[in-house]
């Protein structure tokens, strides 16, 4: 049986190597920011129930693709997990407790659940930070089986993968080597950061600056020196009139990336924040 653990702490995650970060419980930690009374044991037990139900089927399947097919059939057909095509930008799609309760999610949250179940059953299912939608991949027979968790775990062939990637590469060439690099497994830290950035984008779109700030602040727990996150937190501070925080983060961003494409705009905001400080004092 998979050993149950308590949720990690944000300070603890900052010190862990990528491979040592517990992906499922860390995703629940993200959800606890929005749902402070979240009982992580409920969702741990749910994953264990999925794993127990699947083990005989997976063990009886002779080949890795058939094992993966059994997992996908159980999760997407029998349990009803599905991509939320109607309300893709609903933040609940990114909170793992809500995904488990509502059986609805986005590619990353569904892929994370799919990965957790598969890994507990002995399959080395990894995430892929693919351009656009998050994917999952399973090594098979010297190659990889790439699947779309947003569409019931449907396998994707090379032509479709190339077509999907090209839509996000601004017309750049996409040879086999570049595609192979794009399909490289994402680290646990990278997956959590992508989850937080998805939420950040949703809350910025809603002008919910408190929640946007919370999300980008958590990114900086995982990537303390990330320049983009510093800029984004500075922008949130600016919107919330927390001018000292805005000045500090925007200045650090410009120091790290003085030639960035948005450097001039950030300098203008920094001047405004500094000017308002002078008027306030």
């Amino acid at each position: 049986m998979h050993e149950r653990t308590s949720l990690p702490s944000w300070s603890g995650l900052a010190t862990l190597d990528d491979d040592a970060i517990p992906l499922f419980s860390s995703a629940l930690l993200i959800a606890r920011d929005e749902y402070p009374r979240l009982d992580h044991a409920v969702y741990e037990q749910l994953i264990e129930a999925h794993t127990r139900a699947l083990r005989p089927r997976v063990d009886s399947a002779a080949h890795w693709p058939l094992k993966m097919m059994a997992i996908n059939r159980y999760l997407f057909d029998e349990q009803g997990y599905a991509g939320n095509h109607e309300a893709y930008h609903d933040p609940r799609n990114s909170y793992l407790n809500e995904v488990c309760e509502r059986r609805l999610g986005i590619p990353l949250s569904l892929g994370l659940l799919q990965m957790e179940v598969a890994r507990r059953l002995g399959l080395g299912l990894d995430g892929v930070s693919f351009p656009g939608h998050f994917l999952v991949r399973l090594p098979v027979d010297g190659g990889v089986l790439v699947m779309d968790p947003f569409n019931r775990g449907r396998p994707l062939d090379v032509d479709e993968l190339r077509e999907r990637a090209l839509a996000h590469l601004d017309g750049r060439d996409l040879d086999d080597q570049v595609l192979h690099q794009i399909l490289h497994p994402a680290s646990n830290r990278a997956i959590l950061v992508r989850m937080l950035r998805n939420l950040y984008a949703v809350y910025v779109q809603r002008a919910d600056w408190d929640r946007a700030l919370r999300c980008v602040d958590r990114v900086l727990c995982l990537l303390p020196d990330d320049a983009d996150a510093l800029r984004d937190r500075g922008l949130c501070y600016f919107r919330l009139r927390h001018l000292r925080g805005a000045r500090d983060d925007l200045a650090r961003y410009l120091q790290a990336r003085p030639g960035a494409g948005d450097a001039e705009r950030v300098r203008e905001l920094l001047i405004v924040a500094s000017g308002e400080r002078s008027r306030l004092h």
Side-chain angles (χ1 to χ4, degrees), residues 7 26 30-31 33 46 58 61 64 68 80 87-88 107 130 135 158 165 179 192 205 225 238 247-248 251 262 264:
L7 291 185
S26 298
I30 292 172
D33 279 339
L46 176 65
V58 170
W64 294 114
M68 195 67 238
Y88 188 88
F130 203 77
L135 303 174
V158 171
L179 182 59
L192 294 172
Q205 187 177 34
D225 299 318
F238 185 86
R247 290 192 301 271
D248 290 347
D262 61 354
E264 189 58 36

Side-chain angles (χ1 to χ4, degrees), residues 190-245:
I191 291 171
L192 294 172
V193 167
R194 183 161 175 160
M195 177 174 276
L196 287 163
R197 284 182 167 146
N198 285 343
L199 281 165
Y200 170 81
V202 167
Y203 289 132
V204 167
Q205 187 177 34
R206 296 177 172 209
D208 188 340
W209 301 109
D210 286 306
R211 285 184 169 87
L213 173 61
R214 182 184 70 200
C215 293
V216 75
D217 199 48
R218 295 311 194 190
V219 171
L220 285 163
C221 288
L222 295 166
L223 298 173
D225 299 318
D226 186 82
D228 287 341
L230 282 170
R231 175 202 60 207
D232 293 343
R233 188 172 68 177
L235 295 175
C236 289
Y237 279 144
F238 185 86
R239 290 284 189 170
L240 292 167
R241 316 313 297 159
H242 183 351
L243 299 180
R244 179 176 178 180

Side-chain angles (χ1 to χ4, degrees), residues 61-174:
H63 305 290
W64 294 114
L66 295 177
K67 293 177 186 290
M68 195 67 238
M69 187 182 301
I71 293 173
N72 288 342
R73 184 181 299 117
Y74 173 83
L75 291 177
F76 299 114
D77 294 344
E78 297 179 28
Q79 293 300 311
Y81 290 99
N84 192 345
H85 294 264
E86 287 72 32
Y88 188 88
H89 297 292
D90 187 329
R92 292 178 294 178
N93 295 329
S94 290
Y95 290 121
L96 210 54
N97 60 321
E98 290 282 9
V99 175
C100 290
E101 298 282 356
R102 301 169 69 232
R103 297 294 202 265
L104 287 172
I106 56 174
L108 191 151
S109 57
L110 292 170
L112 192 153
L113 187 141
Q114 192 183 15
M115 289 163 58
E116 184 67 19
V117 171
R119 288 175 175 182
R120 294 189 187 198
L121 290 164
L123 280 74
L125 190 65
D126 287 315
V128 177
S129 287
F130 203 77
H133 282 182
F134 187 84
L135 303 174
V136 294
R137 50 166 278 171
L138 180 72
V140 289
D141 301 327
V144 290
L145 173 63
V146 181
M147 292 162 284
D148 181 357
F150 193 60
N151 291 290
R152 305 161 64 91
R154 182 172 68 83
L156 304 174
D157 62 24
V158 171
D159 289 340
E160 184 171 356
L161 288 168
R162 183 172 281 108
E163 181 180 351
R164 287 189 179 201
L166 282 171
H168 298 273
L169 294 179
D170 298 324
R172 285 182 288 161
D173 291 335
L174 182 63

Side-chain angles (χ1 to χ4, degrees), residues 42-60:
V42 170
Y43 306 102
E44 174 68 37
Q45 291 161 10
L46 176 65
I47 295 299
E48 276 297 307
H50 290 339
T51 304
R52 285 195 303 272
L54 272 165
R55 192 172 299 282
R57 309 184 197 188
V58 170
D59 289 347
S60 65

Side-chain angles (χ1 to χ4, degrees), residues 5 9 85 154-155 271 281:
T5 59
S9 67
H85 294 264
R154 182 172 68 83
I271 290 170
H281 291 81

